[in-house]
Amino acid sequence: MAHPLDDTDRSILRTLRRHPRASITEIARRAGFARGTVYGRLERLERDGVITGWGPELDTRAAGYDVLAFLWLQIAQGAHDETITALAEIDEVLEIHTITGDADLLCKVVAQSNDHLHDIVLAVTALPPVRHSQTQLALHTSHRRGLVDLF
């Protein structure tokens, strides 16, 4: 069972966010805790699934994906799991959210160009459970933050 984050966890995460390549010793020094405390907390946060990865953050545009879009999908009743599995196989689908309202799923998608986005939309709408789709392009991202930025 996951433990709620306390001030020590938040301080360690904040330090890690500001210095992502720092060693545990360096994080401990900057956060003001013993090395063993930092090591143990990071181990627990990983084990509890709070920390889900250690990979680099990538800028989509710098990586060649200039188009960001959101696909609203209406799907056949009872086909949720099947549709999620199929959508997850499409590499450019970064996030899939089950939502309320007129659509059933909201997908965050990146593409290298509008033509590439068109190919992705065709692949998504070719999935048998997909009944209707609506695509919205993001013209500009004015603000972006990750959960760790809350700490």
Side-chain angles (χ1 to χ4, degrees), residues 33 59 109 122 139:
F33 298 110
D59 180 277
V109 176
L122 289 176
L139 299 177

Coordinates of all heavy atoms in Angstrom, one line a residue, residues 33 59 109 122 139:
F33 N 19.5 16.0 4.0 CA 19.1 14.7 4.7 C 20.3 13.8 4.6 O 21.2 13.9 3.7 CB 17.9 14.0 4.0 CG 16.7 14.8 4.1 CD1 16.1 15.4 2.9 CD2 16.0 15.0 5.3 CE1 15.0 16.2 3.0 CE2 14.9 15.8 5.4 CZ 14.3 16.4 4.2
D59 N 11.6 17.0 -25.5 CA 10.8 18.1 -26.1 C 10.3 17.5 -27.5 O 11.1 17.1 -28.3 CB 11.6 19.3 -26.4 CG 10.8 20.4 -27.0 OD1 10.7 20.4 -28.2 OD2 10.3 21.3 -26.3
V109 N -1.8 12.8 -29.0 CA -1.1 12.2 -30.1 C 0.0 13.2 -30.6 O -0.3 14.4 -30.7 CB -2.1 11.9 -31.2 CG1 -1.3 11.4 -32.5 CG2 -3.1 10.9 -30.8
L122 N -6.2 7.9 -39.5 CA -6.7 6.8 -40.3 C -6.5 5.5 -39.6 O -7.4 4.6 -39.6 CB -6.1 6.8 -41.7 CG -6.4 7.9 -42.6 CD1 -5.6 7.8 -43.9 CD2 -7.9 7.9 -42.9
L139 N -2.3 24.5 -31.3 CA -1.6 25.5 -32.0 C -0.3 25.9 -31.3 O 0.7 26.2 -31.9 CB -2.4 26.7 -32.4 CG -3.7 26.3 -33.2 CD1 -4.5 27.6 -33.4 CD2 -3.3 25.8 -34.5

